[in-house]
């Protein structure tokens, strides 16, 4: 696996591959990798001749009171995992390389990308500036890498939609592909932030997925008119189950529109964000995958 921290080097690498007629896929990460990230690498390997992994903790997407400083990092382990998963290249730029003018917050940045419409709800409401930070950095990565396809996880479903919209709106020459959320055996969506959880908190974490799944199954039965009652109940249940705070539980369609009473529940997803002590966890599930008679439904 070829490794570089320099923009010119990674550009030359991708150019070399593409000029040989090879297709190149990217998996962009903030590191502290787990099998969820590697499932994106596996998807990229299926579709592309070459796969490039990136590891960069993007300061622009963290709010001033968030965990940028403490976000878990282990570059040597990440590189070993990317190589083992079959990446052909890895790009690990420094913050100075990505943001040489000292930008650490979108408000410091001369140029930013602000996407209207999908970013005011869910995580965008509780994390002002977050998606400006994501889009600004992801656009820059796209411009640096010049890959054919980029893979994103449905675990961050809103982020995937926002990036897809940015690509469409700005006619960026890259295809965006979503991959399903990889879960622990207990149902918890794999996340680098699990490193923060004490054992007692980790024992509570699976209840987020269980509650969202139960809500999705009930929606499939009762229809979208029951969404408000069901999300209220889910919030109450999450607090009773030990989460410190519930930021949101919301039902929206696959494009994040609010459902009307007649919306086909199979187009809906249930989104949740909770806090466990100082750790923020998010997850979402598709109602279509939680039909009452679905044998793959987890308890
Ligand atoms: P992160 O390092 O958390 O920024 O994630 C990098 C990419 O991996 C994003 O596209 C995430 O949506 C994706 N990802 C993170 N966790 C999972 C998971 N459990 N299953 C699938 N994809 C994931």
């Amino acid at each position: 696996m070829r490794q570089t921290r320099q923009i010119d080097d990674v550009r030359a690498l991708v150019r070399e591959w593409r000029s040989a007629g090879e297709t190149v896929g990217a998996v962009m990460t903030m590191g502290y990798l787990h099998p969820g990230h590697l499932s994106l690498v596996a998807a990229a390997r299926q579709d592309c001749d070459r796969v490039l992994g990136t590891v960069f903790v993007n300061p622009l997407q963290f709010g001033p009171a968030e965990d940028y400083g403490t976000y878990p990092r282990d570059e040597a382990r990440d590189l070993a995992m990317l190589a083992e998963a079959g990446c052909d290249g890895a790009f690990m730029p420094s913050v100075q390389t990505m943001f040489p003018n000292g930008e650490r917050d979108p408000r410091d940045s001369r140029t930013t990308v602000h996407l209207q419409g999908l970013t005011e709800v869910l995580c965008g409401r509780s994390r002002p500036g977050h998606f400006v930070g994501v889009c600004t950095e992801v656009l820059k990565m796209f411009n640096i890498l010049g890959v054919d396809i980029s893979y994103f996880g449905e675990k961050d479903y809103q982020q995937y939609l926002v990036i897809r919209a940015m690509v469409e709106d700005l006619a960026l020459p890259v295809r965006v592909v979503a991959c399903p959320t990889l879960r622990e055996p207990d149902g918890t969506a794999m996340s680098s932030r699990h490193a923060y959880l004490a054992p007692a908190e980790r024992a509570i974490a699976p209840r987020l997925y269980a509650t969202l799944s139960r809500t999705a199954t009930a929606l499939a039965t009762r229809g979208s008119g029951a969404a408000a009652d069901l999300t209220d109940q889910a919030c109450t249940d999450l607090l009773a189950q030990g989460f410190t705070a519930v930021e949101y539980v919301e039902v929206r369609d696959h494009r994040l529109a609010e459902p009307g009473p007649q919306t086909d529940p199979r187009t809906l997803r249930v989104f949740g964000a909770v806090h466990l002590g100082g750790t923020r966890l998010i997850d979402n599930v598709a109602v279509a995958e939680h039909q009452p008679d679905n044998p793959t439904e987890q308890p």
Side-chain angles (χ1 to χ4, degrees), residues 27-40 54 56 61 71 151-157 159-160 163 177 179-184 188-193:
V27 176
M28 298 183 196
T29 79
M30 297 207 299
Y32 215 72
L33 301 182
H34 52 65
H37 296 111
L38 302 184
S39 71
L40 271 53
T54 72
F56 179 64
Q61 73 185 68
Y71 195 82
Y151 294 81
F152 294 89
E154 286 183 352
K155 152 134 193 312
D156 302 285
Y157 190 85
Q159 170 177 273
Y160 153 67
I163 290 168
V177 170
C179 301
T181 303
L182 209 74
R183 300 183 176 281
E184 304 282 359
T188 316
M190 289 182 178
S191 166
S192 307
R193 288 190 165 98

Side-chain angles (χ1 to χ4, degrees), residues 57-131:
V57 184
N58 170 26
L60 263 49
Q61 73 185 68
F62 290 80
E66 294 181 358
D67 55 343
Y68 174 67
T70 55
Y71 195 82
R73 290 164 169 90
D74 189 341
E75 188 184 85
R77 180 172 157 271
D78 290 341
L79 291 173
M81 288 172 79
L82 290 176
E84 169 74 15
C87 278
D88 301 281
F91 178 51
M92 320 80 77
S94 67
V95 178
Q96 174 64 22
T97 296
M98 285 298 282
F99 299 115
N101 301 320
E103 307 94 323
R104 297 296 176 267
D105 184 292
R107 283 167 300 186
D108 306 331
S109 304
R110 185 164 59 188
T111 303
T112 54
V113 181
H114 173 76
L115 199 124
Q116 201 160 250
L118 292 169
T119 60
E120 294 83 1
V121 300
L122 303 175
C123 291
R125 184 154 49 206
S126 36
R127 303 182 74 186
H130 170 68
F131 286 113

Side-chain angles (χ1 to χ4, degrees), residues 172-236:
L172 302 179
V174 62
R175 193 151 70 83
V176 173
V177 170
C179 301
T181 303
L182 209 74
R183 300 183 176 281
E184 304 282 359
D186 65 12
T188 316
M190 289 182 178
S191 166
S192 307
R193 288 190 165 98
H194 287 169
Y196 297 142
L197 299 176
E201 293 171 331
R202 181 63 190 79
I204 295 169
R207 297 174 192 165
L208 173 59
Y209 175 66
T211 303
L212 299 183
S213 300
R214 207 167 42 240
T215 305
T217 305
L219 266 172
T221 314
R222 291 173 52 187
S224 52
D229 285 350
L230 290 170
T231 52
D232 283 353
Q233 185 61 50
C235 291
T236 309

